[in-house]
Amino acid sequence: MKSNTIKTLSAIGLGLAVQAAFAGNITDINVSTLPDNQKIIKIKFDRDVTAPTGFNAGSPSRIALDFPNTGVALGQSVLEYADPLLNQISAAEDKGKTRVLLNLSKAGQYTTEIKNQEVWVYVNETAAPAAAPVSSTPAARSQQEQVGNTANIDFRKGTGNTGVVELNTGSFTGQPEIKRQNDRIVITLKNYPIQIQAQRNLDVSDFNTPVRTVTMKRLGNATQIVIRNNGNWDLRQQSTNGRMTFEVSPKTTQESSGLSTKNKNFSGKRVSFDFQDVEVRTILQILAKESGMNIVASDSVKGKMTLTLKDVPWDQALDLVLDARNLDMRRTGNIINVAPRDELLAKDKATLQAQNEINDLGPLFSQTFQLKYKNVEEFRKILRIEDNNSSSSSENSILSKRGSALIDPATNTLIITDNSMIIRKFQKLIEELDVPTRQVMVEARIVEATDTFARDLGVKFGAYGVSGRNSWGSDFANAVNNRGTAVSNAIASYNNAVGGSNTLVSPTPFTFNPNVSLPVSSATSSIALVRAIGSGALGLELSASQAQGKSKIISSPRVLTQDRKEATIESGKEIPYQEASSSGATSTSFKKAVLGLTVTPNITPDGQVIMDIQVNKDSVDASCGATEPCISTKNLKTMAMVEDGGTLILGGIYEEENSDSVRKVPLLGDIPVVGNLFKSRARNENRNELLIFITPRIMDNQGSTLRY
């Protein structure tokens, strides 16, 4: 008993040792690029991912990563890259460990992170001490990223419906990179990574401020904060002692626009008045003292009024006074000009007319705009430019009557000639429109599954023979043939006897064509029995067949396209068809039988993707019975919305066919037991299922893939 226990423990120990010796294998290595030439090396394992240890070395610069108890199962052990930072990746196994060597063209540093069945290695150009050992254990990695662990974001609502985002960066000493775009603010903290657990996504749309979402995420060896806004907005930022404050306020043109609608939201200091037959100019003077504003009244402002107000905002009191005396105001900064409404309107009209005369008579300026991302041809419709590069005389054009625009497709340049106001308008317009378009990778997966089953059981039964002058067989033609065969055999035997030959004549066999023929088509097994009776014979043949099959076909077309741009990918054949006209002439036309995907993605502001999709899966069917080949088609056309990286089942078709059939000889097939010799049974079961999946992935233009 003790001996068996020792053997069992030894076997268990040996198994654990073997398992430890072969923890897992490296099966694939992929490389991607992030902003600032940062790299992500994704090392994939088949199982049991282990954390590496490594070091940096110089002359030439390289990073060595050692994976204990790991093997290599790569199709190619050395990977070459034409990249400014990364030159080569090699993997080799030695004594139970695997070393992955990263050859760099510049001095760099790295951090590692385990994600599912992969080890991600982040490499950037920031120089590290040469030949200094750098541990990649989880404890060391936590020490390297302790600065990023202190990063935090917070949101609060400020005065005047402003949104305040506070960013606490801990000991970050660098200068953040702040970019303002049309609907967002992007703050990048270079060389300041945060842990994946520290990433945040705040939805603050319920606070009724211009800010909708605040996102903090890690991008390689950097941290990025994205503030998405809505409507027109202004930004004011402050930075003190590692704390950055971003205040996003609604943008208004009330102060500078004299013809704009009055603001009816009053928030000034509350005042109380009780005046009896007081001059309007005196009331305006009192309001100026209470509000701290400078109120300038025109000489046309005259009259008296009685006013009793209790605990109302001063700006509301001013509005009541102006409405009661048919007055209006124009506000610039902390100065308010008060005058009769007709006088101000006439002044505004005169100002606009003078501005129009300046635009009509003033000097013209030319400015060249070289577009970075947009195609200059897209501005033809906006500017009403004809194909001959001349501007059309449309009143809805952005240009003035004297303005003109030229485009140069060779250099992707737009040349605008117009007054200074239009030039400034174009500067703002191109700044908002000439931005990189987001891209979407759309992958469709078409899965076809088939399950078939068939079983057949049949019999052949008949007789043949010749007796004297009579012959018989399974049918009339068979009987006649057997009689002729008997006569031929008799003549051959007689001639042989007359000739004195001792050689026996080989008789021609009789024909056997069963009169009961219910066989199985393509039977894999059969049993035959022949029993001689006098000058004839009885024959019986049983045959059976059973077939079962399962198949799965997966088609996965994928295509990369820009936002709101249609993309198409096809793979297949074109089938020729003969067409005849009324005159009798024939021509050849072609029809596609392809696997195709046509999609137009639309990225929503909240990160969803709306897609107009058409999926085709056609195949040639030569067994349809027509003179020309037929096309078996499967088509789906729909519009759907799915989140970034999510998978959606667009549709599916399920078909099931069951059949049981019996073929028999009338009357004889109905006899109990014996009737089975005169029957053929067939059973068929066919199940087909088609499913179509769609997965969009938004490419945020954060980097490009070096190897897929």
Side-chain angles (χ1 to χ4, degrees):
M1 181 68 181
K2 183 181 291 185
S3 177
N4 294 333
T5 302
I6 294 174
K7 291 181 179 179
T8 302
L9 293 176
S10 300
I12 294 174
L14 180 61
L16 293 176
V18 172
Q19 185 178 3
F22 302 97
N25 296 319
I26 297 177
T27 60
D28 194 15
I29 298 178
N30 291 333
V31 181
S32 299
T33 287
L34 293 175
D36 301 323
N37 201 25
Q38 301 173 15
K39 300 292 182 291
I40 300 180
I41 295 95
K42 302 178 182 178
I43 304 174
K44 187 176 182 180
F45 289 72
D46 55 355
R47 59 184 177 90
D48 300 337
V49 181
T50 58
T53 59
F55 59 90
N56 291 56
S59 302
S61 181
R62 59 187 183 274
I63 298 173
L65 302 173
D66 293 333
F67 296 86
N69 303 325
T70 303
V72 179
L74 296 172
Q76 186 178 355
S77 60
V78 180
L79 305 176
E80 302 286 344
Y81 299 96
D83 186 76
L85 178 61
L86 184 62
N87 293 333
Q88 186 186 79
I89 300 178
S90 59
E93 181 182 0
D94 183 24
K95 298 180 180 180
K97 72 175 182 180
T98 296
R99 171 167 290 185
V100 178
L101 190 62
L102 311 178
N103 293 327
L104 308 178
S105 57
K106 303 177 183 178
Q109 67 178 11
Y110 76 97
T111 59
T112 61
E113 183 178 3
I114 298 178
K115 287 191 175 183
N116 299 326
Q117 292 292 106
E118 296 180 342
V119 174
W120 287 22
V121 184
Y122 299 90
V123 182
N124 63 345
E125 299 181 6
T126 303
V134 180
S135 176
S136 297
T137 62
R141 197 166 60 248
S142 178
Q143 184 178 2
Q144 294 170 4
E145 298 176 355
Q146 62 181 351
V147 177
N149 292 336
T150 61
N152 191 21
I153 56 174
D154 192 15
F155 176 84
R156 59 180 174 86
K157 185 176 181 180
T159 58
N161 292 331
T162 61
V164 181
V165 179
E166 295 182 351
L167 174 62
N168 186 4
T169 58
S171 58
F172 176 73
T173 58
Q175 186 68 24
E177 181 182 283
I178 303 175
K179 294 182 179 180
R180 296 184 54 173
Q181 299 180 3
N182 187 30
D183 62 339
R184 70 193 66 185
I185 306 168
V186 181
I187 304 104
T188 304
L189 309 179
K190 296 183 179 180
N191 301 325
Y192 189 78
I194 61 172
Q195 290 186 343
I196 302 300
Q197 296 82 356
Q199 298 183 136
R200 295 290 183 268
N201 187 11
L202 306 180
D203 187 354
V204 296
S205 57
D206 294 338
F207 287 88
N208 194 24
T209 69
V211 183
R212 289 295 176 258
T213 60
V214 182
T215 304
M216 182 174 67
K217 60 183 179 180
R218 174 175 173 173
L219 289 178
N221 203 41
T223 299
Q224 185 182 84
I225 299 93
V226 180
I227 305 174
R228 297 180 181 269
N229 305 319
N230 187 30
N232 297 324
W233 49 272
D234 287 326
L235 174 64
R236 186 175 63 181
Q237 64 184 70
Q238 296 179 353
S239 179
T240 55
N241 299 327
R243 180 182 295 271
M244 289 179 284
T245 303
F246 302 91
E247 185 177 3
V248 183
S249 60
K251 188 175 182 180
T252 178
T253 58
Q254 178 75 24
E255 296 181 359
S256 60
S257 177
L259 299 179
S260 60
T261 304
K262 293 182 180 181
N263 185 6
K264 297 299 181 180
N265 296 322
F266 306 107
S267 60
K269 177 184 175 182
R270 293 185 176 274
V271 295
S272 298
F273 295 136
D274 188 6
F275 299 138
Q276 298 290 330
D277 198 21
V278 179
E279 293 285 342
V280 174
R281 303 176 70 88
T282 303
I283 298 176
L284 295 177
Q285 184 179 2
I286 296 174
L287 289 174
K289 293 180 179 181
E290 292 291 336
S291 64
M293 301 290 292
N294 299 311
I295 300 179
V296 181
S298 173
D299 295 338
S300 305
V301 177
K302 299 179 181 179
K304 299 180 179 181
M305 64 182 302
T306 300
L307 186 65
T308 302
L309 298 175
K310 184 178 180 180
D311 196 22
V312 298
W314 71 265
D315 48 354
Q316 185 177 7
L318 176 62
D319 187 74
L320 291 174
V321 172
L322 298 180
D323 286 341
R325 304 303 301 176
N326 197 22
L327 303 174
D328 205 348
M329 70 175 182
R330 299 291 180 262
R331 180 173 175 178
T332 305
N334 63 344
I335 300 177
I336 299 177
N337 294 308
V338 178
R341 183 175 289 109
D342 295 339
E343 181 179 334
L344 289 179
L345 291 176
K347 184 178 179 180
D348 292 335
K349 184 177 179 181
T351 302
L352 294 177
Q353 290 178 350
Q355 184 63 44
N356 290 332
E357 292 178 358
I358 294 175
N359 294 334
D360 294 337
L361 303 176
L364 299 180
F365 303 91
S366 295
Q367 186 166 346
T368 301
F369 301 93
Q370 187 173 19
L371 306 183
K372 299 178 181 178
Y373 306 102
K374 295 293 185 181
N375 190 347
V376 72
E377 294 289 344
E378 299 179 9
F379 282 82
R380 285 188 179 273
K381 187 177 181 180
I382 299 176
L383 300 175
R384 308 295 197 275
I385 300 177
E386 306 294 339
D387 294 336
N388 57 0
N389 246 1
S390 62
S391 301
S392 62
S393 59
S394 176
E395 296 181 355
N396 296 325
S397 177
I398 301 178
L399 301 173
S400 66
K401 298 179 180 179
R402 303 167 59 203
S404 62
L406 298 175
I407 64 173
D408 184 13
T411 59
N412 204 40
T413 301
L414 177 66
I415 304 173
I416 303 297
T417 302
D418 215 317
N419 56 64
S420 59
M421 185 180 65
I422 299 296
I423 295 294
R424 291 193 299 269
K425 184 185 298 184
F426 263 96
Q427 290 176 346
K428 184 178 180 181
L429 177 65
I430 293 177
E431 182 181 352
E432 294 179 355
L433 296 181
D434 191 24
V435 295
T437 305
R438 306 175 75 181
Q439 301 184 106
V440 182
M441 172 67 76
V442 181
E443 178 181 0
R445 186 175 293 267
I446 307 170
V447 181
E448 294 181 86
T450 303
D451 188 0
T452 60
F453 176 82
R455 176 183 292 170
D456 293 336
L457 180 64
V459 63
K460 291 182 178 180
F461 180 65
Y464 67 90
V466 177
S467 178
R469 298 176 63 88
N470 301 320
S471 67
W472 48 280
S474 57
D475 54 26
F476 181 78
N478 186 218
V480 174
N481 186 58
N482 288 340
R483 181 63 184 171
T485 302
V487 173
S488 299
N489 292 338
I491 295 174
S493 300
Y494 175 79
N495 292 334
N496 192 25
V498 173
S501 175
N502 296 325
T503 305
L504 297 177
V505 179
S506 300
T508 304
F510 294 123
T511 302
F512 178 54
N513 187 17
N515 54 358
V516 178
S517 181
L518 299 172
V520 176
S521 59
S522 303
T524 58
S525 302
S526 63
I527 300 175
L529 175 65
V530 179
R531 174 68 178 175
I533 302 177
S535 59
L538 294 177
L540 177 65
E541 181 179 344
L542 299 177
S543 58
S545 174
Q546 179 172 319
Q548 186 174 3
K550 294 183 179 181
S551 65
K552 182 171 68 173
I553 302 175
I554 300 177
S555 306
S556 183
R558 68 182 91 183
V559 64
L560 178 66
T561 182
Q562 291 185 345
D563 184 25
R564 303 176 187 272
K565 296 293 185 181
E566 182 181 291
T568 302
I569 185 172
E570 294 179 341
S571 176
K573 301 178 180 179
E574 287 192 351
I575 310 301
Y577 286 89
Q578 296 292 331
E579 295 181 349
S581 62
S582 58
S583 62
T586 61
S587 61
T588 303
S589 61
F590 293 86
K591 189 173 183 179
K592 293 182 178 181
V594 299
L595 169 65
L597 171 66
T598 302
V599 61
T600 304
N602 181 8
I603 304 175
T604 63
D606 58 349
Q608 305 282 331
V609 182
I610 301 175
M611 296 171 291
D612 192 355
I613 310 166
Q614 182 173 354
V615 180
N616 294 316
K617 191 178 187 308
D618 303 333
S619 59
V620 181
D621 186 6
S623 61
C624 62
T627 57
E628 301 283 351
C630 301
I631 297 178
S632 178
T633 181
K634 300 178 180 66
N635 186 8
L636 182 142
K637 186 176 182 180
T638 184
M639 178 176 288
M641 183 178 71
V642 63
E643 62 182 1
D644 178 24
T647 300
L648 186 68
I649 301 178
L650 295 182
I653 300 175
Y654 179 79
E655 298 177 340
E656 183 174 355
E657 180 181 356
N658 299 319
S659 65
D660 291 298
S661 60
V662 178
R663 298 167 57 200
K664 64 182 180 180
V665 178
L667 300 179
L668 296 179
D670 298 330
I671 300 175
V673 183
V674 180
N676 292 325
L677 299 175
F678 303 93
K679 292 181 181 179
S680 175
R681 294 182 175 89
R683 178 186 175 188
N684 293 280
E685 297 179 1
N686 296 320
R687 288 182 290 273
N688 300 304
E689 187 171 11
L690 172 67
L691 293 175
I692 300 177
F693 304 84
I694 196 73
T695 303
R697 293 181 176 88
I698 300 176
M699 318 297 288
D700 278 327
N701 298 322
Q702 300 295 341
S704 59
T705 301
L706 293 179
R707 179 174 179 264
Y708 184 75

